Amino acid sequence: MQSAAAFRPCPARPLVGRSPSRPLLPARPTRVSSGGAVAAAASTRCGAVGPSGLGHGLLPVSTDREVKARQRTVACAAAGKAGKAEEEGGGFLKTLQLGAFFGLWYLFNIYFNIYNKQVLKVFPYPINITEVQFAVGAAVAVFMWITGILKRPKISGAQLVAIIPLAIVHTMGNLFTNMSLGKVAVSFTHTIKAMEPFFSVILSAIFLGELPTVWVGLSLLPIVGGVALASLTEASFNWAGFWSAMASNVTFQSRNVLSKKLMVKKEDQESLDNINLFSIITVMSFFLLAPVTFFTEGVKMTPTFLQSAGLDVNQVLTRSLLAALCFHAYQQVSYMILAVVSPVTHSVGNCVKRVVVIVTSVLFFRTPVSPINSLGTAIALAGVFLYSQLKRLKPKPKTA
């Protein structure tokens, strides 16, 4: 047996780690200099493992490391929250901007129709008025190119040749619209123009081979029926205004079909954005309509002629200028909206715009509207909305 002396405890001495000069469990708190590695408060936490671990062996966690780790964690969390808030704020601003674009689109369109109708009532020369609108639009486009507001396009000869048919039908479409506005009420012109989807389907089927689905075809029935019902009960109805609006539908939809058929981007050509394309077409339309104006109506939009006709020169010229500016502005904003939303959304917005224009023109000009006429207009516009919704539904591919 071993004696009791063998179990006598040894004299107390501090345990040491790998380096004798660095005690693992100091007997008393240590005083650390500014560059030391062990904090006094951490001497009792030698067994705790912090975010960054203990390093080698069983050394205590550095307080500086813990603080920096916490700071990094807090900074990352704050950055994540800030990024999320910034994303939400950016989405709100984009929505607000898009709402402002739609508001301007409707506002410019309303004022264009009001000022244009006021001028056409006292100055029944639609070709002159259309030429003034193209002249102002061309001046605005050139100004934007010169000042750098709009990037000047690099257009090739092949693109120019392809744009000429678009400019021709664009010129005719605006001319026919002004002819209709001069003959019938603004509300009736826009009711007839609600038949644009009908002509779009017909022309696309003939020239592009794009056959509509059964549902799209059925959505055209309320459009045609509503326009027919509104026409039968229209107080300002006359055939010249009716057929002018119909011709406007055909020419504008022909422009859309031609743009799909002719404006094909080639590898060696720079594609044109919608705003530049519209600006080029406006300039070309001005030059195309100038000789037509000279040889048909003659140049009538002059102070001398207006004064000889007994008209208020300043009023007619001012309203003509405002109508032209609003015409060009609402077209520009329309293309800006089309650049950030889908064609279906733009089509729905255009349908709502037509409703707004019809209602405001009826209220402003105090146009007499019968209940049946209102019903026909409502049916036609509902058909346009239904058409725009059904167009986005793609037919399911046939399985073998």
Side-chain angles (χ1 to χ4, degrees):
M1 292 181 63
Q2 291 181 344
S3 62
F7 295 96
R8 187 172 55 192
C10 298
R13 59 182 178 180
L15 296 175
V16 296
R18 289 186 177 87
S19 175
S21 61
R22 299 181 64 183
L24 181 62
L25 294 174
R28 62 182 183 272
T30 57
R31 183 170 296 177
V32 184
S33 61
S34 58
V38 182
S43 60
T44 59
R45 300 171 53 200
C46 57
V49 180
S52 55
L54 291 177
H56 300 286
L58 296 174
L59 295 178
V61 179
S62 171
T63 303
D64 291 341
R65 290 181 180 178
E66 286 185 344
V67 171
K68 290 180 180 178
R70 291 193 187 100
Q71 288 176 347
R72 283 195 298 269
T73 304
V74 173
C76 290
K81 292 180 180 179
K84 186 177 180 180
E86 184 178 354
E87 183 179 353
E88 292 177 354
F92 174 74
L93 289 177
K94 287 182 180 179
T95 303
L96 191 64
Q97 184 185 43
L98 184 61
F101 281 165
F102 271 97
L104 289 174
W105 186 23
Y106 296 172
L107 190 66
F108 286 138
N109 210 294
I110 290 170
Y111 277 107
F112 162 71
N113 282 278
I114 290 175
Y115 287 133
N116 204 35
K117 181 63 176 179
Q118 287 176 334
V119 174
L120 284 166
K121 276 185 174 182
V122 297
F123 185 78
Y125 298 97
I127 301 179
N128 272 261
I129 291 175
T130 307
E131 178 67 0
V132 168
Q133 291 168 2
F134 286 144
V136 173
V140 172
V142 172
F143 173 79
M144 294 176 70
W145 286 331
I146 292 175
T147 57
I149 298 175
L150 187 64
K151 184 180 178 182
R152 189 181 305 176
K154 295 179 181 178
I155 184 169
S156 64
Q159 286 177 315
L160 190 63
V161 172
I163 293 174
I164 290 177
L166 301 179
I168 292 174
V169 293
H170 178 78
T171 304
M172 294 172 63
N174 284 283
L175 177 58
F176 284 133
T177 299
N178 282 333
M179 291 173 65
S180 178
L181 289 171
K183 296 294 184 179
V184 296
V186 174
S187 57
F188 184 54
T189 296
H190 282 275
T191 300
I192 300 173
K193 286 175 71 66
M195 284 192 66
E196 285 181 351
F198 174 82
F199 292 101
S200 176
V201 170
I202 298 297
L203 294 174
S204 295
I206 294 174
F207 295 103
L208 300 178
E210 297 179 357
L211 298 178
T213 64
V214 175
W215 295 111
V216 170
L218 291 176
S219 70
L220 300 177
L221 295 178
I223 298 176
V224 177
V227 171
L229 186 61
S231 300
L232 291 174
T233 56
E234 173 61 35
S236 66
F237 180 87
N238 66 70
W239 287 109
F242 176 83
W243 288 117
S244 296
M246 283 293 188
S248 173
N249 286 335
V250 174
T251 50
F252 276 133
Q253 295 311 308
S254 298
R255 180 190 63 185
N256 295 340
V257 171
L258 285 172
S259 65
K260 293 181 181 179
K261 195 174 183 65
L262 301 177
M263 294 302 296
V264 179
K265 179 184 176 183
K266 298 181 180 180
E267 294 181 358
D268 58 341
Q269 295 177 351
E270 182 180 353
S271 61
L272 293 172
D273 60 89
N274 287 330
I275 296 180
N276 265 321
L277 177 60
F278 168 70
S279 300
I280 293 171
I281 289 176
T282 300
V283 174
M284 294 177 69
S285 296
F286 166 73
F287 289 106
L288 288 171
L289 193 60
V292 177
T293 305
F294 182 79
F295 288 110
T296 54
E297 293 179 349
V299 180
K300 297 286 194 301
M301 188 63 76
T302 61
T304 304
F305 179 84
L306 295 176
Q307 191 172 10
S308 63
L311 300 175
D312 188 331
V313 177
N314 291 332
Q315 188 181 72
V316 173
L317 292 178
T318 301
R319 290 179 177 177
S320 298
L321 177 62
L322 290 173
L325 289 173
C326 289
F327 168 77
H328 194 77
Y330 91 73
Q331 296 271 14
Q332 290 274 12
V333 176
S334 174
Y335 284 120
M336 292 169 67
I337 293 174
L338 188 58
V340 296
V341 301
S342 67
V344 174
T345 302
H346 188 273
S347 178
V348 173
N350 190 55
C351 179
V352 176
K353 180 209 71 178
R354 204 171 295 286
V355 174
V356 172
V357 170
I358 289 174
V359 172
T360 54
S361 65
V362 167
L363 295 177
F364 184 86
F365 293 109
R366 298 180 181 179
T367 307
V369 179
S370 65
I372 298 179
N373 184 274
S374 301
L375 178 62
T377 302
I379 292 174
L381 295 175
V384 174
F385 178 79
L386 180 62
Y387 167 84
S388 64
Q389 294 299 306
L390 293 173
K391 280 289 288 183
R392 67 179 180 179
L393 300 178
K394 296 181 180 179
K396 295 182 179 179
K398 296 181 180 180
T399 57

